[in-house]
Structures are given as C-alpha cells and as structure tokens.
Amino acid sequence: MSSTLDAPLGARTPDPASGATFAAGERVPTRRRYLMCEPRFFTVEYVINPWMRPDQPVSTERAVEQWEQLRRTYERLGHTVETIEPQPGLPDMVFAANSGTVIDGRVLGSRFRAEQRAAEAEHFRRWFLEHGYRSVVMPEKINEAEGDFAWTGSLLLAGTGFRTDPGAHAEAQEVLGMPVVSLQLVDPRYYHLDVALFVLDDQSEHPLVAYYPDAFSPGSQQVLRRLFPDAVIANAEDAECLGLNGVSDGRNVVLPMEATHLAEKVAERGFEPVLVDVSELRKSGGGPKCCTMELRD
Ligand SMILES: NC(=[NH2+])NCCC[C@H](N)C(=O)O
C-alpha cells in the first residue's frame, strides 16, 4: 500500500517512478508496466461500435504520432512500456487493452465478439508465452479483457451488455481468483466498461473510481454508489469525448485533451491530469486506456 495518507505528518515519500518526493497527503504514483501496439495498420473499415464511420477520413500517420506521444508520456512519468508487433489486416490491434487481463502475473486472454478482431487474441497469447508468463488461460466465453474489466486493487469490476459475455465474469473469477462485480452497460456509445469508468486509485484500502452513471443500468448505478460513495462523477460532456478512458498511476491521470471538465474534477481530488491528443484513435471508439494494457506482474 503506497497511499501517503498513512505517512507520518511532514514525511516525504519518494516517488518510485521519478525519484521525486511527495508531502504527506499528496497522491503518490506507483510504477506501472504497460503493453502497447503501434497503430501501423490503423484504419476504420468496419463498424462495430457507434463511433466508427468508414466514410470519415482517417490518417494512420496521425494515429501513429498520437500513439507515440502517449507512449512517451508514460515513459516520461517513469513507467515501462512493452510493445507487441502490429499485424496487417488487424486495424484495431492498437487497442491492446482488449486482449488480456493480467493480475498478479496471471493472464486471462481474450475472445472477441466481432470476427474482424478475433485473430488479435492469438497474437497476444503468443506474446505472453514468449515473455515468460507461465499462467495464460484463454477464455471460453466472449471476453474483451480490460475493455470490460477494471481492477480496483481488490475487486474486478466487469462490464457486460455489448461485448463481454456475462458468463465471462464468472470465468474471470475462477481463472484469476479475484472477486468479480458485474455491471450492466446500457448505452451503445459506451459499449465497453472502460469508456464509462476508470480506476483512479488502486493502491489504497478504499479504491477510488470515476464513472458516468448514465452508462449503467439503475441496479448497477446503485452498486457503484454503494461500493464507491466518494467516486468522481462524470457528466455527459466528459463521457462524450471518451474522457472516462483514462489511465491513472495513482497520481498522474492521462486523459483525452478534450476532457477538461473531468480533468478539473480529478485535480480537485489531488490528482495530476495529463492531457493527450487521441482524436484519430477516437474515430474507432478508443482513447488512452484502450491503447494500454496494464501488466500487473
Ligand atoms: N478498450 C476499448 N474500449 N477499446 C476500443 C476498441 C475500439 C474498437 N474499434 C472496437 O470497437 O472494438
């Protein structure tokens, strides 16, 4: 547990990522390891979510530049970025978060709903095996990994409604041995959990999340209120730029640059917003988190 809230008054806690020190009460980042895939073959040529419009021009070059910026942002924050080789014919492979859930070094692979993305899962499975992961399980049920799974440090929040099969929630609980909480998504624009909710703090006893209530069924909204009474509540404007597709290291919160309102809200809670341009990747319905699988080894 690295929350500085426990630190003695006046103590300064060293930041494992940058070596900087933080005063008691300040948010402290923890060093992360991410897996990313360059969008070398990025296009929008099929439609599997309401953001994708093949008639709209897309620049692969700009997507690569934005992705490079995102990768450099993580490195500047002190994190490690691993990469997987992109494959021709798999334009959505840049959305690495959809291809595995890694907790305590155990890997649950993915199984895509859309046939156009199906082959991505096997490339990632091989990456895990080649990179020393011993426990790699491929799911039987449709499972879009961190697209629909969010780890709070103690619970695996699991979305369903558009992509991941509810049966995959039970499967994840068995394979990963972690308690799973199912959440029902109801708005097709927010077709994955990771465009409706993200975890701001996964290191403290009381995890903190940000979410957009209207993306969830009434029952799931109640569950979220009960589990996270002090959550950051996003509004429609935050959701509409895919602002909930954020990545937090416990202090720095990487957000799409349009998410200025959400950035203010997280700043009020002591986080440091880091805004990035992901406009090209958003044309496929993605943002920073979609491009970033966390390797929790
Ligand atoms: N984790 C995410 N939300 N990833 C974005 C995936 C975007 C991709 N075009 C799809 O519809 O599958």
Side-chain angles (χ1 to χ4, degrees), residues 46 48-49 52 92 95 97-98 117 144 146-147 163 191-192 194-195 245 284-286 289-290:
Y46 48 77
I48 54 172
N49 71 54
M52 302 177 84
D92 274 338
F95 302 116
N98 302 150
R117 296 196 66 186
E144 298 200 357
E146 289 192 325
R163 298 290 183 89
Y191 57 96
H192 269 151
D194 76 354
V195 287
N245 202 241
S284 191
K289 172 59 206 173
C290 303

